[in-house]
Structures are given as structure tokens and as C-alpha cells.
Amino acid sequence: MKEEDYKRAIEEITFRQNFLDNLDLGWTRSYVKHIKYESELIDKKDRIIMRTIQNVVGKKSEILVYPKAFSDFHPKFADFYSTLVYHEGYHARESFEFGAEDGILGDLNLELRARKFQLEHVNGENSQAFIDNLRREIRIYQDVTERIKEVCRMY
């Protein structure tokens, strides 16, 4: 897939599933059984971009891609691909190898690890705005995780 295919998927809603079906997922294929475009919003504020439906250890996951994934949140194809492969793919791999984590702290730690993994794989093709946002999100997740740990130590 190329930048022009991504731009077409942004403009043509009917092309999005075809676009997803033809992406080279590389290493994530071992952990992902299907990627589905989901036009129905599950969040009225339209904050959810992609979501991994995690299974039990040893089972492949499904990744759902929502309309916001095809927006200015991902200015370039490399940004979209980064979120799909290096963030959601990370979730699928973790689920396949270890299963789901329990509790809010487990969820936060998983999100933090996924974002750090994603940041390790950005390159010159990613937009600077995307990279800056990813770094900001990492700082927020680190902050929140530390605050929750402090509260837990109090009890």
C-alpha cells in the first residue's frame, strides 16, 4: 500500500475494508486473524481509533478500525500503519502470548508498553505531529500510572 491508497481510503468510505484487506501486516499476521473496518461508532465523542479484540492465550485477535483512523489523527500512511501494526499488533501479540491483564493498572501498563513499542518503530516517514502526540501520550500514561501506584501504596 502506498500513500495514495491511504488518501483514497480517507476519501472513499467504501474502499476502506479493501484497503485494510490488502495491507502487509508483516510480523503481526501471526497474532491477527482479521482486520475489520467498523463504521459504527462505539464512542459518541469519536475518540476510538482502533481496537484489538483480544482472545485467550494462543488465539489470534481481531482488530477493529474506526472512522477516526482515517482522519487528521493519522496525517500520513506511515502514521496509520504505525498505529495498526506497532500499537494494535502489540496488543494482539501480548494477548496471544500472555492473555489479558487484569485491572486498571494492568490496562494502563499495557497501553504504556504498546505506545513505547510504537515509538521505537517510528521513522522518517512518520509525521512530526504524530510523533509528538505519541510522546505526549506516553508522558500522560506514565504520570497516571505513577499516581495510581501512589494511591495503591496508601492502602
Side-chain angles (χ1 to χ4, degrees):
M1 283 286 157
K2 297 189 167 100
E3 193 72 34
E4 55 267 16
D5 296 314
Y6 177 61
K7 297 297 182 202
R8 181 178 172 198
I10 290 172
E11 295 169 9
E12 295 177 36
I13 294 171
T14 58
F15 179 66
R16 291 178 180 175
Q17 186 62 56
N18 184 48
F19 170 78
L20 295 171
D21 291 342
N22 288 293
L23 286 173
D24 175 13
L25 299 178
W27 64 271
T28 62
R29 269 288 164 221
S30 299
Y31 310 106
V32 175
K33 70 177 172 186
H34 182 67
I35 300 170
K36 180 182 176 197
Y37 177 68
E38 186 63 63
S39 61
E40 295 295 318
L41 298 178
I42 61 170
D43 173 13
K44 293 190 190 279
K45 294 183 181 177
D46 193 28
R47 293 176 293 201
I48 297 180
I49 297 151
M50 296 180 195
R51 186 173 103 170
T52 301
I53 306 300
Q54 298 167 330
N55 288 304
V56 295
V57 174
K59 299 282 185 186
K60 291 183 177 186
S61 297
E62 179 178 34
I63 297 175
L64 301 179
V65 179
Y66 294 94
K68 188 169 181 164
F70 296 97
S71 71
D72 58 356
F73 184 84
H74 296 121
K76 298 172 76 175
F77 170 69
D79 303 331
F80 177 92
Y81 190 80
S82 171
T83 299
L84 180 66
V85 171
Y86 297 109
H87 185 97
E88 298 304 327
Y90 184 89
H91 287 311
R93 184 182 74 191
E94 287 260 312
S95 175
F96 186 90
E97 294 178 351
F98 308 111
E101 291 203 34
D102 292 329
I104 190 162
L105 198 53
D107 288 345
L108 289 170
N109 281 324
L110 178 58
E111 281 302 316
L112 181 57
R113 288 193 311 272
R115 281 172 170 75
K116 285 180 175 180
F117 183 77
Q118 187 178 3
L119 185 61
E120 290 171 8
H121 291 88
V122 296
N123 57 46
E125 293 181 22
N126 293 95
S127 68
Q128 191 60 50
F130 180 77
I131 294 169
D132 291 344
N133 187 56
L134 190 53
R135 287 184 176 131
R136 183 184 62 77
E137 287 179 347
I138 289 170
R139 284 191 304 273
I140 290 168
Y141 272 91
Q142 287 171 327
D143 228 22
V144 170
T145 301
E146 284 307 310
R147 289 178 186 200
I148 290 175
K149 286 178 182 176
E150 284 177 30
V151 170
C152 290
R153 284 191 291 266
M154 292 170 39
Y155 294 98

PDB file of all heavy atoms in Angstrom, residues 1 20-33 35 60 63 77 81 84-86 89-90 92-93 117:
ATOM      1  N   MET A   1       0.843  -1.183   0.000  1.00  0.00           N
ATOM      2  CA  MET A   1       0.000   0.000   0.000  1.00  0.00           C
ATOM      3  C   MET A   1       0.882   1.238   0.000  1.00  0.00           C
ATOM      4  O   MET A   1       1.950   1.250   0.583  1.00  0.00           O
ATOM      5  CB  MET A   1      -0.899   0.017   1.226  1.00  0.00           C
ATOM      6  CG  MET A   1      -2.074  -0.914   1.138  1.00  0.00           C
ATOM      7  SD  MET A   1      -3.311  -0.282   0.013  1.00  0.00           S
ATOM      8  CE  MET A   1      -4.117  -1.779  -0.406  1.00  0.00           C
ATOM      9  N   LEU A  20      -7.775  -2.173   4.005  1.00  0.00           N
ATOM     10  CA  LEU A  20      -7.306  -2.956   5.157  1.00  0.00           C
ATOM     11  C   LEU A  20      -6.949  -4.388   4.758  1.00  0.00           C
ATOM     12  O   LEU A  20      -5.960  -4.944   5.228  1.00  0.00           O
ATOM     13  CB  LEU A  20      -8.363  -2.967   6.260  1.00  0.00           C
ATOM     14  CG  LEU A  20      -8.659  -1.619   6.906  1.00  0.00           C
ATOM     15  CD1 LEU A  20      -9.885  -1.733   7.819  1.00  0.00           C
ATOM     16  CD2 LEU A  20      -7.455  -1.090   7.666  1.00  0.00           C
ATOM     17  N   ASP A  21      -7.758  -4.972   3.890  1.00  0.00           N
ATOM     18  CA  ASP A  21      -7.524  -6.355   3.456  1.00  0.00           C
ATOM     19  C   ASP A  21      -6.219  -6.517   2.689  1.00  0.00           C
ATOM     20  O   ASP A  21      -5.678  -7.620   2.626  1.00  0.00           O
ATOM     21  CB  ASP A  21      -8.681  -6.849   2.584  1.00  0.00           C
ATOM     22  CG  ASP A  21      -9.972  -7.038   3.355  1.00  0.00           C
ATOM     23  OD1 ASP A  21      -9.929  -7.128   4.608  1.00  0.00           O
ATOM     24  OD2 ASP A  21     -11.042  -7.081   2.706  1.00  0.00           O
ATOM     25  N   ASN A  22      -5.740  -5.451   2.103  1.00  0.00           N
ATOM     26  CA  ASN A  22      -4.546  -5.537   1.262  1.00  0.00           C
ATOM     27  C   ASN A  22      -3.277  -4.987   1.902  1.00  0.00           C
ATOM     28  O   ASN A  22      -2.249  -4.876   1.240  1.00  0.00           O
ATOM     29  CB  ASN A  22      -4.811  -4.838  -0.080  1.00  0.00           C
ATOM     30  CG  ASN A  22      -5.753  -5.661  -0.928  1.00  0.00           C
ATOM     31  OD1 ASN A  22      -5.407  -6.745  -1.376  1.00  0.00           O
ATOM     32  ND2 ASN A  22      -6.971  -5.169  -1.099  1.00  0.00           N
ATOM     33  N   LEU A  23      -3.348  -4.665   3.177  1.00  0.00           N
ATOM     34  CA  LEU A  23      -2.155  -4.185   3.873  1.00  0.00           C
ATOM     35  C   LEU A  23      -1.210  -5.333   4.190  1.00  0.00           C
ATOM     36  O   LEU A  23      -1.643  -6.433   4.534  1.00  0.00           O
ATOM     37  CB  LEU A  23      -2.541  -3.494   5.181  1.00  0.00           C
ATOM     38  CG  LEU A  23      -3.165  -2.123   5.073  1.00  0.00           C
ATOM     39  CD1 LEU A  23      -3.642  -1.659   6.445  1.00  0.00           C
ATOM     40  CD2 LEU A  23      -2.174  -1.127   4.501  1.00  0.00           C
ATOM     41  N   ASP A  24       0.075  -5.074   4.097  1.00  0.00           N
ATOM     42  CA  ASP A  24       1.089  -6.040   4.509  1.00  0.00           C
ATOM     43  C   ASP A  24       1.289  -5.868   6.011  1.00  0.00           C
ATOM     44  O   ASP A  24       1.832  -4.867   6.462  1.00  0.00           O
ATOM     45  CB  ASP A  24       2.401  -5.778   3.769  1.00  0.00           C
ATOM     46  CG  ASP A  24       3.532  -6.682   4.252  1.00  0.00           C
ATOM     47  OD1 ASP A  24       3.260  -7.664   4.980  1.00  0.00           O
ATOM     48  OD2 ASP A  24       4.686  -6.385   3.907  1.00  0.00           O
ATOM     49  N   LEU A  25       0.851  -6.843   6.774  1.00  0.00           N
ATOM     50  CA  LEU A  25       0.929  -6.747   8.228  1.00  0.00           C
ATOM     51  C   LEU A  25       2.206  -7.331   8.810  1.00  0.00           C
ATOM     52  O   LEU A  25       2.415  -7.287  10.019  1.00  0.00           O
ATOM     53  CB  LEU A  25      -0.292  -7.415   8.861  1.00  0.00           C
ATOM     54  CG  LEU A  25      -1.616  -6.787   8.470  1.00  0.00           C
ATOM     55  CD1 LEU A  25      -2.754  -7.549   9.100  1.00  0.00           C
ATOM     56  CD2 LEU A  25      -1.650  -5.324   8.858  1.00  0.00           C
ATOM     57  N   GLY A  26       3.044  -7.875   7.965  1.00  0.00           N
ATOM     58  CA  GLY A  26       4.330  -8.384   8.429  1.00  0.00           C
ATOM     59  C   GLY A  26       4.204  -9.327   9.610  1.00  0.00           C
ATOM     60  O   GLY A  26       3.395 -10.252   9.605  1.00  0.00           O
ATOM     61  N   TRP A  27       4.975  -9.071  10.637  1.00  0.00           N
ATOM     62  CA  TRP A  27       5.050  -9.933  11.822  1.00  0.00           C
ATOM     63  C   TRP A  27       3.716 -10.092  12.552  1.00  0.00           C
ATOM     64  O   TRP A  27       3.506 -11.067  13.255  1.00  0.00           O
ATOM     65  CB  TRP A  27       6.117  -9.424  12.787  1.00  0.00           C
ATOM     66  CG  TRP A  27       5.813  -8.070  13.362  1.00  0.00           C
ATOM     67  CD1 TRP A  27       6.152  -6.861  12.830  1.00  0.00           C
ATOM     68  CD2 TRP A  27       5.095  -7.795  14.562  1.00  0.00           C
ATOM     69  NE1 TRP A  27       5.673  -5.845  13.624  1.00  0.00           N
ATOM     70  CE2 TRP A  27       5.032  -6.395  14.701  1.00  0.00           C
ATOM     71  CE3 TRP A  27       4.505  -8.582  15.537  1.00  0.00           C
ATOM     72  CZ2 TRP A  27       4.399  -5.763  15.766  1.00  0.00           C
ATOM     73  CZ3 TRP A  27       3.869  -7.960  16.605  1.00  0.00           C
ATOM     74  CH2 TRP A  27       3.824  -6.568  16.707  1.00  0.00           C
ATOM     75  N   THR A  28       2.789  -9.141  12.391  1.00  0.00           N
ATOM     76  CA  THR A  28       1.540  -9.212  13.147  1.00  0.00           C
ATOM     77  C   THR A  28       0.599 -10.308  12.635  1.00  0.00           C
ATOM     78  O   THR A  28      -0.310 -10.709  13.353  1.00  0.00           O
ATOM     79  CB  THR A  28       0.780  -7.874  13.142  1.00  0.00           C
ATOM     80  OG1 THR A  28       0.427  -7.544  11.803  1.00  0.00           O
ATOM     81  CG2 THR A  28       1.611  -6.774  13.734  1.00  0.00           C
ATOM     82  N   ARG A  29       0.816 -10.798  11.428  1.00  0.00           N
ATOM     83  CA  ARG A  29      -0.049 -11.849  10.870  1.00  0.00           C
ATOM     84  C   ARG A  29      -0.104 -13.076  11.783  1.00  0.00           C
ATOM     85  O   ARG A  29      -1.088 -13.798  11.807  1.00  0.00           O
ATOM     86  CB  ARG A  29       0.424 -12.282   9.485  1.00  0.00           C
ATOM     87  CG  ARG A  29      -0.196 -11.512   8.375  1.00  0.00           C
ATOM     88  CD  ARG A  29      -1.664 -11.902   8.219  1.00  0.00           C
ATOM     89  NE  ARG A  29      -2.318 -10.887   7.422  1.00  0.00           N
ATOM     90  CZ  ARG A  29      -3.520 -10.405   7.656  1.00  0.00           C
ATOM     91  NH1 ARG A  29      -4.219 -10.837   8.659  1.00  0.00           N
ATOM     92  NH2 ARG A  29      -4.038  -9.492   6.900  1.00  0.00           N
ATOM     93  N   SER A  30       0.945 -13.309  12.535  1.00  0.00           N
ATOM     94  CA  SER A  30       0.978 -14.456  13.456  1.00  0.00           C
ATOM     95  C   SER A  30       0.001 -14.286  14.614  1.00  0.00           C
ATOM     96  O   SER A  30      -0.310 -15.257  15.306  1.00  0.00           O
ATOM     97  CB  SER A  30       2.381 -14.634  14.026  1.00  0.00           C
ATOM     98  OG  SER A  30       3.299 -14.882  13.005  1.00  0.00           O
ATOM     99  N   TYR A  31      -0.450 -13.047  14.840  1.00  0.00           N
ATOM    100  CA  TYR A  31      -1.273 -12.749  16.016  1.00  0.00           C
ATOM    101  C   TYR A  31      -2.651 -12.183  15.677  1.00  0.00           C
ATOM    102  O   TYR A  31      -3.490 -12.053  16.554  1.00  0.00           O
ATOM    103  CB  TYR A  31      -0.541 -11.750  16.919  1.00  0.00           C
ATOM    104  CG  TYR A  31       0.874 -12.173  17.200  1.00  0.00           C
ATOM    105  CD1 TYR A  31       1.957 -11.533  16.602  1.00  0.00           C
ATOM    106  CD2 TYR A  31       1.129 -13.246  18.044  1.00  0.00           C
ATOM    107  CE1 TYR A  31       3.250 -11.948  16.857  1.00  0.00           C
ATOM    108  CE2 TYR A  31       2.428 -13.659  18.303  1.00  0.00           C
ATOM    109  CZ  TYR A  31       3.476 -13.006  17.701  1.00  0.00           C
ATOM    110  OH  TYR A  31       4.763 -13.425  17.948  1.00  0.00           O
ATOM    111  N   VAL A  32      -2.866 -11.816  14.409  1.00  0.00           N
ATOM    112  CA  VAL A  32      -4.118 -11.168  13.995  1.00  0.00           C
ATOM    113  C   VAL A  32      -4.821 -12.042  12.968  1.00  0.00           C
ATOM    114  O   VAL A  32      -4.247 -12.383  11.938  1.00  0.00           O
ATOM    115  CB  VAL A  32      -3.831  -9.771  13.389  1.00  0.00           C
ATOM    116  CG1 VAL A  32      -5.106  -9.137  12.849  1.00  0.00           C
ATOM    117  CG2 VAL A  32      -3.171  -8.874  14.413  1.00  0.00           C
ATOM    118  N   LYS A  33      -6.081 -12.394  13.261  1.00  0.00           N
ATOM    119  CA  LYS A  33      -6.826 -13.213  12.304  1.00  0.00           C
ATOM    120  C   LYS A  33      -7.565 -12.371  11.274  1.00  0.00           C
ATOM    121  O   LYS A  33      -7.788 -12.804  10.153  1.00  0.00           O
ATOM    122  CB  LYS A  33      -7.781 -14.176  13.011  1.00  0.00           C
ATOM    123  CG  LYS A  33      -8.963 -13.526  13.682  1.00  0.00           C
ATOM    124  CD  LYS A  33      -9.881 -14.572  14.295  1.00  0.00           C
ATOM    125  CE  LYS A  33     -10.937 -13.867  15.114  1.00  0.00           C
ATOM    126  NZ  LYS A  33     -11.774 -14.772  15.851  1.00  0.00           N
ATOM    127  N   ILE A  35      -8.740  -7.968  10.199  1.00  0.00           N
ATOM    128  CA  ILE A  35      -8.875  -6.543  10.466  1.00  0.00           C
ATOM    129  C   ILE A  35     -10.172  -6.104   9.807  1.00  0.00           C
ATOM    130  O   ILE A  35     -10.398  -6.360   8.624  1.00  0.00           O
ATOM    131  CB  ILE A  35      -7.699  -5.735   9.894  1.00  0.00           C
ATOM    132  CG1 ILE A  35      -6.400  -6.207  10.523  1.00  0.00           C
ATOM    133  CG2 ILE A  35      -7.896  -4.248  10.134  1.00  0.00           C
ATOM    134  CD1 ILE A  35      -5.179  -5.662   9.863  1.00  0.00           C
ATOM    135  N   LYS A  60      -5.578 -15.989  17.907  1.00  0.00           N
ATOM    136  CA  LYS A  60      -5.382 -14.726  17.209  1.00  0.00           C
ATOM    137  C   LYS A  60      -6.501 -13.740  17.531  1.00  0.00           C
ATOM    138  O   LYS A  60      -7.624 -14.140  17.804  1.00  0.00           O
ATOM    139  CB  LYS A  60      -5.327 -14.963  15.701  1.00  0.00           C
ATOM    140  CG  LYS A  60      -4.089 -15.705  15.248  1.00  0.00           C
ATOM    141  CD  LYS A  60      -4.075 -15.824  13.740  1.00  0.00           C
ATOM    142  CE  LYS A  60      -2.821 -16.499  13.254  1.00  0.00           C
ATOM    143  NZ  LYS A  60      -2.740 -16.485  11.786  1.00  0.00           N
ATOM    144  N   ILE A  63      -8.736  -6.998  14.899  1.00  0.00           N
ATOM    145  CA  ILE A  63      -8.537  -5.560  15.081  1.00  0.00           C
ATOM    146  C   ILE A  63      -9.683  -4.836  14.380  1.00  0.00           C
ATOM    147  O   ILE A  63      -9.975  -5.101  13.210  1.00  0.00           O
ATOM    148  CB  ILE A  63      -7.186  -5.084  14.525  1.00  0.00           C
ATOM    149  CG1 ILE A  63      -6.039  -5.742  15.297  1.00  0.00           C
ATOM    150  CG2 ILE A  63      -7.077  -3.550  14.588  1.00  0.00           C
ATOM    151  CD1 ILE A  63      -4.657  -5.427  14.761  1.00  0.00           C
ATOM    152  N   PHE A  77       0.201   7.940   5.753  1.00  0.00           N
ATOM    153  CA  PHE A  77       0.033   6.487   5.777  1.00  0.00           C
ATOM    154  C   PHE A  77       0.930   5.855   6.837  1.00  0.00           C
ATOM    155  O   PHE A  77       0.506   4.946   7.557  1.00  0.00           O
ATOM    156  CB  PHE A  77       0.335   5.882   4.394  1.00  0.00           C
ATOM    157  CG  PHE A  77       0.404   4.387   4.421  1.00  0.00           C
ATOM    158  CD1 PHE A  77      -0.744   3.638   4.636  1.00  0.00           C
ATOM    159  CD2 PHE A  77       1.621   3.731   4.249  1.00  0.00           C
ATOM    160  CE1 PHE A  77      -0.684   2.236   4.676  1.00  0.00           C
ATOM    161  CE2 PHE A  77       1.683   2.341   4.291  1.00  0.00           C
ATOM    162  CZ  PHE A  77       0.538   1.596   4.507  1.00  0.00           C
ATOM    163  N   TYR A  81      -0.244   3.203   9.655  1.00  0.00           N
ATOM    164  CA  TYR A  81       0.401   1.896   9.706  1.00  0.00           C
ATOM    165  C   TYR A  81       1.060   1.667  11.066  1.00  0.00           C
ATOM    166  O   TYR A  81       0.998   0.574  11.620  1.00  0.00           O
ATOM    167  CB  TYR A  81       1.425   1.792   8.578  1.00  0.00           C
ATOM    168  CG  TYR A  81       1.980   0.408   8.373  1.00  0.00           C
ATOM    169  CD1 TYR A  81       1.259  -0.545   7.673  1.00  0.00           C
ATOM    170  CD2 TYR A  81       3.230   0.053   8.871  1.00  0.00           C
ATOM    171  CE1 TYR A  81       1.761  -1.826   7.472  1.00  0.00           C
ATOM    172  CE2 TYR A  81       3.740  -1.221   8.679  1.00  0.00           C
ATOM    173  CZ  TYR A  81       3.000  -2.153   7.975  1.00  0.00           C
ATOM    174  OH  TYR A  81       3.498  -3.418   7.793  1.00  0.00           O
ATOM    175  N   LEU A  84      -1.687   0.751  13.520  1.00  0.00           N
ATOM    176  CA  LEU A  84      -2.229  -0.575  13.239  1.00  0.00           C
ATOM    177  C   LEU A  84      -1.242  -1.688  13.608  1.00  0.00           C
ATOM    178  O   LEU A  84      -1.570  -2.604  14.357  1.00  0.00           O
ATOM    179  CB  LEU A  84      -2.612  -0.690  11.763  1.00  0.00           C
ATOM    180  CG  LEU A  84      -3.200  -2.028  11.343  1.00  0.00           C
ATOM    181  CD1 LEU A  84      -4.542  -2.272  12.014  1.00  0.00           C
ATOM    182  CD2 LEU A  84      -3.367  -2.072   9.828  1.00  0.00           C
ATOM    183  N   VAL A  85      -0.026  -1.587  13.107  1.00  0.00           N
ATOM    184  CA  VAL A  85       0.936  -2.681  13.263  1.00  0.00           C
ATOM    185  C   VAL A  85       1.676  -2.618  14.599  1.00  0.00           C
ATOM    186  O   VAL A  85       1.756  -3.609  15.315  1.00  0.00           O
ATOM    187  CB  VAL A  85       1.927  -2.695  12.082  1.00  0.00           C
ATOM    188  CG1 VAL A  85       3.063  -3.675  12.326  1.00  0.00           C
ATOM    189  CG2 VAL A  85       1.184  -3.041  10.790  1.00  0.00           C
ATOM    190  N   TYR A  86       2.207  -1.459  14.942  1.00  0.00           N
ATOM    191  CA  TYR A  86       3.080  -1.391  16.116  1.00  0.00           C
ATOM    192  C   TYR A  86       2.346  -1.095  17.426  1.00  0.00           C
ATOM    193  O   TYR A  86       2.911  -1.281  18.485  1.00  0.00           O
ATOM    194  CB  TYR A  86       4.206  -0.393  15.887  1.00  0.00           C
ATOM    195  CG  TYR A  86       5.090  -0.836  14.753  1.00  0.00           C
ATOM    196  CD1 TYR A  86       5.080  -0.178  13.534  1.00  0.00           C
ATOM    197  CD2 TYR A  86       5.889  -1.966  14.892  1.00  0.00           C
ATOM    198  CE1 TYR A  86       5.869  -0.621  12.485  1.00  0.00           C
ATOM    199  CE2 TYR A  86       6.678  -2.413  13.848  1.00  0.00           C
ATOM    200  CZ  TYR A  86       6.665  -1.728  12.642  1.00  0.00           C
ATOM    201  OH  TYR A  86       7.447  -2.184  11.604  1.00  0.00           O
ATOM    202  N   GLY A  89      -1.014  -4.246  16.825  1.00  0.00           N
ATOM    203  CA  GLY A  89      -0.298  -5.513  16.667  1.00  0.00           C
ATOM    204  C   GLY A  89       0.391  -5.930  17.961  1.00  0.00           C
ATOM    205  O   GLY A  89       0.454  -7.116  18.292  1.00  0.00           O
ATOM    206  N   TYR A  90       0.892  -4.943  18.696  1.00  0.00           N
ATOM    207  CA  TYR A  90       1.500  -5.226  20.001  1.00  0.00           C
ATOM    208  C   TYR A  90       0.468  -5.827  20.952  1.00  0.00           C
ATOM    209  O   TYR A  90       0.740  -6.809  21.642  1.00  0.00           O
ATOM    210  CB  TYR A  90       2.093  -3.940  20.591  1.00  0.00           C
ATOM    211  CG  TYR A  90       2.815  -4.160  21.896  1.00  0.00           C
ATOM    212  CD1 TYR A  90       4.164  -4.477  21.903  1.00  0.00           C
ATOM    213  CD2 TYR A  90       2.148  -4.066  23.109  1.00  0.00           C
ATOM    214  CE1 TYR A  90       4.839  -4.696  23.101  1.00  0.00           C
ATOM    215  CE2 TYR A  90       2.808  -4.278  24.310  1.00  0.00           C
ATOM    216  CZ  TYR A  90       4.155  -4.592  24.293  1.00  0.00           C
ATOM    217  OH  TYR A  90       4.816  -4.810  25.480  1.00  0.00           O
ATOM    218  N   ALA A  92      -2.225  -7.456  20.130  1.00  0.00           N
ATOM    219  CA  ALA A  92      -2.554  -8.807  19.655  1.00  0.00           C
ATOM    220  C   ALA A  92      -1.468  -9.805  20.075  1.00  0.00           C
ATOM    221  O   ALA A  92      -1.773 -10.915  20.511  1.00  0.00           O
ATOM    222  CB  ALA A  92      -2.729  -8.797  18.138  1.00  0.00           C
ATOM    223  N   ARG A  93      -0.216  -9.402  19.959  1.00  0.00           N
ATOM    224  CA  ARG A  93       0.881 -10.291  20.356  1.00  0.00           C
ATOM    225  C   ARG A  93       0.850 -10.578  21.854  1.00  0.00           C
ATOM    226  O   ARG A  93       1.003 -11.711  22.294  1.00  0.00           O
ATOM    227  CB  ARG A  93       2.235  -9.704  19.957  1.00  0.00           C
ATOM    228  CG  ARG A  93       3.396 -10.664  20.274  1.00  0.00           C
ATOM    229  CD  ARG A  93       4.724 -10.087  19.923  1.00  0.00           C
ATOM    230  NE  ARG A  93       5.055  -9.075  20.922  1.00  0.00           N
ATOM    231  CZ  ARG A  93       6.053  -8.225  20.805  1.00  0.00           C
ATOM    232  NH1 ARG A  93       6.801  -8.220  19.725  1.00  0.00           N
ATOM    233  NH2 ARG A  93       6.309  -7.354  21.748  1.00  0.00           N
ATOM    234  N   PHE A 117       6.477   0.802  22.438  1.00  0.00           N
ATOM    235  CA  PHE A 117       6.855  -0.066  21.327  1.00  0.00           C
ATOM    236  C   PHE A 117       6.616   0.657  19.999  1.00  0.00           C
ATOM    237  O   PHE A 117       7.455   0.613  19.098  1.00  0.00           O
ATOM    238  CB  PHE A 117       6.047  -1.364  21.393  1.00  0.00           C
ATOM    239  CG  PHE A 117       6.411  -2.370  20.341  1.00  0.00           C
ATOM    240  CD1 PHE A 117       7.560  -3.139  20.463  1.00  0.00           C
ATOM    241  CD2 PHE A 117       5.587  -2.573  19.237  1.00  0.00           C
ATOM    242  CE1 PHE A 117       7.896  -4.084  19.494  1.00  0.00           C
ATOM    243  CE2 PHE A 117       5.917  -3.516  18.267  1.00  0.00           C
ATOM    244  CZ  PHE A 117       7.071  -4.266  18.396  1.00  0.00           C
TER     245      PHE A 117
END
